[in-house]
Amino acid sequence: MTKKTVEKPVFFLKIIGISDTSHELIPIKTLIGSLPAFMDGITLVISHNMDTDENRKLVKILEDKTMLPVKEVKNGIKAEKNTIYTMASDYNITIEDEKFVLTTSSQKVEIEKLKTSNEELEQRNKELQVINAYMENFVHAVAHDMRSPVANLKYLTDVFASADTEGQKQYLPFISKSIEKLDNILKGLVQIIDIKGQQIDSEAEEIEIGNIIEDVVDEEQGLIADTQAEIIIENHYPHKFRYIRGYLEIILRNLLSNALKYRKKEAPPQIKIKVVADNGDAILSIKDNGIGMDLAKNKDKLFMPFKRFRKDIPGLGIGLHIIKTLIEKNGGKITVESEAGKGTEFKVYLKEF
Amino acid sequence: MMIDDDQDTLTLYQLSLKETDFSSYFFTYDNAKAAIAYLQACIEKQHQVPAYIIIDLNMPEMSGFQFLSVFEDKIYPHMPNTSVITTTSSIREKDKEEALQYRCVIDFISKPISKPYLLNLFVKH
């Protein structure tokens, strides 16, 4: 009589930490076909014997398909989202005190449940609504802006056909211009989407605001010299500031570049960059003596994408929009004061991460 | 007369009318305010006024609608033979309804205005 060893199948225990706490035991082969099940949850792979070739292979496939880290279950483990945990033994699963308890013949392992919270859901929901509304407005603005060059291209196709070779040559630059406008809009689109997609909890560090201001001013030395601009930097921020370096660079670069671009013809630009502390937050102000603007008219459009203030001054019209997005990502704000013919001052209220 | 905030559009139309007999009758403005000032000067100095004004409804600073409001109120009474044709790159029905409400407006066209349409205006006049 031969003794048959029956291998226990490899099961997948799905623990969702956000909206639901459920554990189901599902054959892993079934689960491999349904990827989304792994997202935003914890995966526990339990097998009678993880060391068999087949089980190892199955887990490897799981790992490859989800690209999630694989960890071994140990006593007292605190579960992390989006992670695969493996465990080899006979088992019994119970829930005690907000913990999953796996009992085997030789050990007891507890996996702490992630806290679920309705608040988290509500918060996430609100964020999504804001993003949605933004996206709708944005798509509208872009579609609208693209119709103008497209209208011109339509007209060109009309007149091009009936023109002689001389005439056609004269129309060609208009074709290029329209296409370039379309291209710029698309470029701006990509830029904005990239920025919107960046995670805010990456790379926040203790930075020296003064150093970053100096770096950005150095970058613009060419234009500063050409326009004979005078840049005054007043840094009254007393210590380091926890922020994302890249964001501050983009913000400063854009505001400084605008201050230089929108200068008066008759007077060299005078730009004052000042930083003060306000209860831990930093208030960064850039004040120029340039052409200024009529805020009553422009205030609404100023921070909207693709709204160019002056068509004769180069730019995509998305800089202010981008920096407003960045500043507001962690609760900051940006304000503007301006008088036509006198100059403009942008005030950026930065919050620490 | 054509009013549009996009200088490239204006230059394009000017170029396309160059070899026609009407090119000297076609002139452009890239902002509505300047156009209003010109029209007012025409009244004061008793100059010949444009027979047709083509205006883009969507412009920064003074919009097409704002132009229509001022025009109908203050200028149209002095040049009742001048008609306004509104154009836009938008596709909103509301814009069309609103534009056609003005007495001076005789048409509403989606951009681009075709060359035959323009030539027809000149011929009619």
Side-chain angles (χ1 to χ4, degrees), chain A residues 210 213-214 217 231-235 271-275:
Chain A
I213 296 178
E214 279 171 21
V217 170
I231 316 275
I232 304 168
I233 304 177
E234 271 181 40
N235 181 14
I271 301 170
K272 187 159 96 164
I273 308 176
K274 194 165 83 161
V275 197

Side-chain angles (χ1 to χ4, degrees), chain A residues 5-201:
Chain A
T5 353
V6 180
E7 285 288 339
K8 259 196 175 147
V10 181
F11 279 122
F12 160 75
L13 172 77
K14 182 173 69 177
I15 308 175
I16 309 295
I18 295 286
S19 60
D20 176 33
T21 4
S22 66
H23 53 281
E24 317 155 32
L25 297 179
I26 301 165
I28 197 172
K29 282 179 179 162
T30 314
L31 254 299
I32 283 177
S34 62
L35 212 49
F38 296 102
M39 295 310 164
D40 247 10
I42 304 163
T43 308
L44 183 62
V45 178
I46 301 174
S47 161
H48 174 65
N49 188 352
M50 288 303 297
D51 272 340
T52 62
D53 276 337
E54 201 197 340
N55 289 342
R56 267 199 295 263
K57 235 193 311 183
L58 286 175
V59 173
K60 184 83 181 41
I61 294 175
L62 196 64
E63 204 184 341
D64 285 344
K65 281 208 171 244
T66 62
M67 312 260 278
L68 297 179
V70 178
K71 301 185 183 173
E72 225 185 285
V73 160
K74 288 189 182 108
N75 209 0
I77 198 168
K78 189 167 182 184
E80 283 167 25
K81 272 199 304 176
N82 301 321
T83 313
I84 299 178
Y85 294 97
T86 61
M87 179 178 184
S89 59
D90 296 322
Y91 55 83
N92 230 329
I93 303 170
T94 50
I95 298 180
E96 287 167 32
D97 280 340
E98 301 290 308
K99 292 194 198 126
F100 290 99
V101 181
L102 292 91
T103 327
T104 76
S105 53
S106 51
Q107 42 167 197
K108 184 171 165 182
V109 174
E110 296 174 338
I111 299 184
E112 238 179 83
K113 275 206 277 168
L114 282 185
K115 290 221 193 322
T116 74
S117 142
N118 267 339
E119 276 176 7
E120 237 178 85
L121 256 186
E122 265 179 44
Q123 174 67 19
R124 188 69 187 135
N125 228 21
K126 277 193 202 147
E127 284 172 26
L128 284 173
Q129 277 177 17
V130 169
I131 294 179
N132 217 34
Y134 170 84
M135 280 294 172
E136 278 181 31
N137 279 336
F138 183 75
V139 169
H140 221 265
V142 171
H144 181 271
D145 276 9
M146 289 177 86
R147 296 206 77 222
S148 199
V150 169
N152 280 356
L153 285 171
K154 275 188 179 172
Y155 187 71
L156 278 159
T157 13
D158 243 351
V159 295
F160 199 76
S162 48
D164 57 14
T165 10
E166 251 322 295
Q168 289 185 342
K169 272 196 216 153
Q170 295 194 304
Y171 286 131
L172 277 180
F174 287 94
I175 298 181
S176 324
K177 273 191 204 184
S178 282
I179 294 190
E180 195 168 320
K181 278 188 198 166
L182 285 172
D183 196 26
N184 278 342
I185 292 178
L186 291 174
K187 271 196 238 170
L189 199 73
V190 172
Q191 270 188 42
I192 294 182
I193 291 188
D194 275 349
I195 301 246
K196 277 252 161 218
Q198 275 176 19
Q199 299 293 327
I200 57 168
D201 46 24

Side-chain angles (χ1 to χ4, degrees), chain B residues 14-59:
Chain B
Q14 224 149 22
L15 179 61
S16 68
L17 291 172
K18 213 167 63 160
E19 6 40 88
T20 67
D21 296 326
F22 311 111
S23 65
S24 51
Y25 295 106
F26 181 78
F27 55 101
T28 66
Y29 274 93
D30 72 353
N31 82 83
K33 254 198 186 154
I36 296 257
Y38 168 80
L39 291 168
Q40 276 171 336
C42 279
I43 299 174
E44 278 164 37
K45 303 193 182 152
Q46 312 235 320
H47 274 173
Q48 197 183 26
V49 299
Y52 297 102
I53 299 176
I54 301 171
I55 180 157
D56 179 9
L57 288 174
N58 185 6
M59 293 190 290

Side-chain angles (χ1 to χ4, degrees), chain A residues 208-227:
Chain A
E208 200 51 77
I209 299 185
N211 289 348
I212 301 196
I213 296 178
E214 279 171 21
D215 285 342
V216 171
V217 170
D218 271 344
E219 273 176 35
E220 293 288 334
Q221 269 316 316
L223 189 52
I224 292 175
D226 285 344
T227 57

Side-chain angles (χ1 to χ4, degrees), chain B:
Chain B
M1 168 162 132
M2 183 182 255
I3 310 172
D4 193 314
D5 63 314
D6 184 28
Q7 185 57 54
D8 285 337
T9 307
L10 295 173
T11 320
L12 175 59
Y13 275 93
Q14 224 149 22
L15 179 61
S16 68
L17 291 172
K18 213 167 63 160
E19 6 40 88
T20 67
D21 296 326
F22 311 111
S23 65
S24 51
Y25 295 106
F26 181 78
F27 55 101
T28 66
Y29 274 93
D30 72 353
N31 82 83
K33 254 198 186 154
I36 296 257
Y38 168 80
L39 291 168
Q40 276 171 336
C42 279
I43 299 174
E44 278 164 37
K45 303 193 182 152
Q46 312 235 320
H47 274 173
Q48 197 183 26
V49 299
Y52 297 102
I53 299 176
I54 301 171
I55 180 157
D56 179 9
L57 288 174
N58 185 6
M59 293 190 290
E61 294 185 38
M62 193 181 208
S63 79
F65 282 113
Q66 289 171 319
F67 172 89
L68 283 177
S69 158
V70 174
F71 180 83
E72 179 126 320
D73 210 26
K74 306 215 169 107
I75 305 188
Y76 189 49
H78 301 278
M79 43 178 91
N81 292 324
T82 301
S83 311
V84 179
I85 296 158
T86 54
T87 180
T88 180
S89 47
S90 104
I91 44 175
R92 287 166 36 177
E93 264 306 303
K94 233 180 19 160
D95 283 349
K96 183 169 184 175
E97 282 168 20
E98 202 179 328
L100 291 175
Q101 297 247 344
Y102 288 88
R103 289 174 299 141
C104 57
V105 174
I106 59 167
D107 209 350
F108 173 96
I109 306 207
S110 260
K111 282 187 174 181
I113 296 199
S114 72
K115 191 167 174 186
Y117 185 94
L118 275 184
L119 293 178
N120 191 36
L121 290 179
F122 287 115
V123 167
K124 268 205 311 205
H125 190 70

Side-chain angles (χ1 to χ4, degrees), chain A residues 260-317:
Chain A
L260 289 167
K261 274 201 283 196
Y262 290 89
R263 62 184 181 276
K264 286 197 195 127
K265 281 200 193 118
E266 354 40 280
Q270 266 181 358
I271 301 170
K272 187 159 96 164
I273 308 176
K274 194 165 83 161
V275 197
V276 299
D278 176 36
N279 261 347
D281 297 341
I283 305 182
L284 168 71
S285 95
I286 297 200
K287 189 170 175 169
D288 67 59
N289 65 338
I291 56 178
M293 60 186 134
D294 184 347
L295 273 185
K297 281 190 189 156
N298 294 303
K299 197 157 196 173
D300 291 332
K301 306 192 187 147
L302 199 58
F303 292 102
M304 283 171 63
F306 302 115
K307 291 285 177 248
R308 300 266 306 286
F309 176 47
R310 286 270 293 260
K311 296 217 166 178
D312 51 336
I313 295 181
L316 284 178

